[in-house]
Amino acid sequence: KRATRKFPEPNPNLIALMEEVGELARAILEDKNEEDIFMEAVQVATCAMRCAIHKDPQWTRTKLRGGKYANKK
């Protein structure tokens, strides 16, 4: 629910996931406490699940063709 409030639909979920991964990396590199790192990791996992379940609006505009992404027409 929190992720949906922070990144409402339609949402570029992959971008949200990358942002959360960056925040987790920053927490680790800045030697934050274990609870802060854990919470960032949970947010990464939540965004990853959202990508898996809801996909990303960008994905519906592309199609895997011969190992390359091509615009749908």
Side-chain angles (χ1 to χ4, degrees):
K1 290 180 182 181
R2 181 173 174 253
T4 303
R5 284 192 307 270
K6 189 174 179 181
F7 302 104
E9 296 291 339
N11 174 56
N13 290 316
L14 185 59
I15 292 171
L17 174 60
M18 295 292 80
E19 177 186 352
E20 294 300 336
V21 168
E23 290 177 9
L24 173 60
R26 187 178 310 113
I28 293 168
L29 292 171
E30 292 177 355
D31 204 24
K32 298 288 183 175
N33 65 54
E34 190 174 315
E35 183 179 346
D36 289 345
I37 292 171
F38 175 81
M39 291 307 297
E40 292 299 341
V42 167
Q43 290 176 16
V44 168
T46 301
C47 281
M49 287 299 298
R50 194 168 177 198
C51 281
I53 294 167
H54 298 289
K55 313 251 185 302
D56 184 297
Q58 296 270 358
W59 298 351
T60 59
R61 288 183 240 152
T62 59
K63 181 179 180 180
L64 189 61
R65 210 183 278 157
K68 297 180 182 177
Y69 282 100
N71 289 329
K72 282 187 175 181
K73 293 185 181 180

